[in-house]
Every structure is written in structure tokens, then in C-alpha cells.
Amino acid sequence: MAKFNKLAGKHVLVIGGSQGIGRGVAEGAIESQAVVTIVGSYRPNLPPKMQSADKTVAQLKALYPSASVIGLSCNLATDNVEADLDNIFTQAKAAHGKAVDHVVLTAGDPVLALAPQDITLEKIRHAARMRLELPALLGKVAQRHLARTTASSVTLSTGGVAEKPNPGWSVTAFMAAGLNGLARNLALDLKPIRVNSVEPGPVDTGFWETGGMTAEQKAAAFKAWDEKLPTGAVGAVEDVAEAYLYLMRDRNATGEVVKTRSGANLL
Ligand SMILES: NC(=O)c1ccc[n+]([C@@H]2O[C@H](COP(=O)([O-])OP(=O)(O)OC[C@H]3O[C@@H](n4cnc5c(N)ncnc54)[C@H](OP(=O)(O)O)[C@@H]3O)[C@@H](O)[C@H]2O)c1
């Protein structure tokens, strides 16, 4: 076994691996000789094999012909989330003939910018679907499927607003800060399985368009950030993905928050 490339031969499950940061983690894991399962959302109006995860698997196989990668599609924003997560681990194991060693959660729907007067019970519950219910139940389900060793890990995704307030993001800030608390506490509850979180600053993914920005609005917002940020640019997926790859590899890291924020916290 490689001393430093601890992902070689491991099974990495990236929930949210069909796009953005998760796709970058999947690529990094493939380059590290891991076998990979990615999960994207399920859109009932699309024909079989045309889901986002299927398309991404085809692209990854074109880029890395020897990669062992499969894709699964599931809507994880429903009341059936616990059973669906259980199925994902089971299907991933059956497809690769090997249990999952590391699970990364990057799946997330657009964050709701909400001024205090616009906050409603319905919107709070909507925000909690993918940023409280999904990660909390992932901890529960992962415990059933991961080997009880420090070579197994769960990595959650949060965001810079956990620490640096942003007008209109109060509910999102609650979720982001809570995700760090959840990861820290699960690290005790699931020990010796390791649980950590990654806190990105702004990253160049489709997340912003999915959230309703036009290409022009995104370009203008990113230009303004680039002019202010100490690194001179919002995060690139291949850089931010390193935080996740690190947390999978370092068997000494649990209950940690790894931050990769272009220095946005310094402004
Ligand atoms: N990008 C940033 O600037 C930034 C900054 C800080 C924190 N974050 C956080 O980091 C995480 C990843 O962000 P990203 O930029 O990589 O987002 P992204 O590019 O929009 O990717 C989101 C992923 O989540 C999946 N997804 C969305 N809704 C789903 C559902 N209902 N069921 C299952 N999967 C679903 C998507 O699948 P499909 O491909 O099928 O749509 C996609 O794989 C998010 O939690 C985000 O809040 C992002």
C-alpha cells in the first residue's frame, strides 16, 4: 500500500459528484487511483442514462479511460432520504464489489438569500432539507456502511458564511455554522470513523447560475471578488477539491474544519 497516496484502491463515494466541487473531488480521487461512485440529482423528466451523473461519468471515462467510476441518480431532498442514502451505499458496493471507504457530501441546492422580513417557516424547512436533514442522516447511514477504522471518513461541506456574516444570509449562516458543529459532534459519535467539514469561500462552479444568477451577473460578481480577494481570484474547483482529498487521507484528522477561502475571511 502506498505510504502517502492513501486513496489508491479505496472506494470514494461523492454525493454531489456530478457537478462543481464534488466533480473535482471525484476527478482528484480518480487521479489518486481510487474507485469512485458519484451521485447526482434525479430528474424524472429525463430519459434513462441522461441524468446529470450519467453524463458526468461519460465525461470522466473519456478523460480517464482506465477509471473505475459509476454514477447514481437520486433526489436527496425528500422524506425518503434515509432509505435512499442506505440504497446508495448498497448499490455502490454492489457495483464496485467493494464497500465504501470514504464519503464526501457536496450535494446542495441553491442557498436562499432571505432578508429577515422574508423568512418563513416553509423557507426555513426548505433550507434544512439538504443542509441539516441530509448531512445528519448521512452520519447515521454511513455508520452502518463504513468500516470502523480511522481509514474511513465522512466529509461534509459548509461555507464561509459560517463565520463571516453576509446580509440576507441569516438562515444560511445558521445552517453553515451548524454543519461545522454537526461534523465535530459526529466525529465523537462515529469514532474511530473520522468526520470533518470543508469550508469554501466563493468557488467558480455552476452553483451561482443554479441559484438564479445570469452569466453576466456571475461574471460581474466574480470580477468584483477577484479585485478584492488576496489570492486575486475566487476558488478554482481543482484547488478547493484538495481540502477534501486531504481530509480523506489524513487518518489523524477528525472533527476539523478545513478552510479554503481565497482569503475572503481577511476582508
Ligand atoms: N460554489 C461556491 O461558491 C460554494 C461556496 C461555499 C460553499 N459551497 C457549498 O458547497 C457545496 C457544493 O457546491 P458546488 O458549488 O459544488 O455546487 P453545484 O456545482 O451546484 O453542485 C451541486 C451538486 O448537488 C447535487 N444536487 C443538487 N440538488 C440535489 C438533490 N435534490 N439531490 C441530489 N443531489 C442534488 C447536484 O446534482 P445535479 O448535477 O444533478 O444537479 C450537484 O452534483 C454546496 O453545499 C454549497 O452550498 C459552495
Side-chain angles (χ1 to χ4, degrees), residues 171-252:
V171 173
T172 301
F174 177 91
M175 299 296 164
L179 276 157
N180 287 339
L182 176 68
R184 272 195 299 272
N185 217 90
L186 283 174
L188 281 186
D189 291 338
L190 269 59
K191 69 180 179 158
I193 297 166
R194 298 177 299 104
V195 186
N196 297 289
S197 58
V198 174
E199 194 176 295
V203 187
D204 189 0
T205 68
F207 178 75
W208 302 95
E209 286 97 330
T210 314
M213 271 191 184
T214 63
E216 293 71 31
Q217 286 168 334
K218 180 182 174 185
F222 276 34
K223 184 168 178 289
W225 263 322
D226 292 352
E227 284 165 4
K228 286 190 299 190
L229 290 167
T231 60
V234 301
V237 162
E238 61 268 33
D239 293 325
V240 173
E242 293 287 356
Y244 296 82
L245 297 166
Y246 156 71
L247 284 170
M248 286 189 264
R249 288 191 181 107
D250 184 352
R251 292 172 301 218
N252 196 43

Side-chain angles (χ1 to χ4, degrees), residues 16-22 40-41 43 52 74-77 106-108 130-131 157-159 200-203 205-208 210:
S18 55
Q19 307 273 351
I21 298 170
S41 67
R43 292 188 173 81
S52 173
C74 184
N75 178 5
L76 290 168
T106 56
M130 297 200 75
R131 291 185 173 79
S157 301
T158 171
V203 187
T205 68
F207 178 75
W208 302 95
T210 314

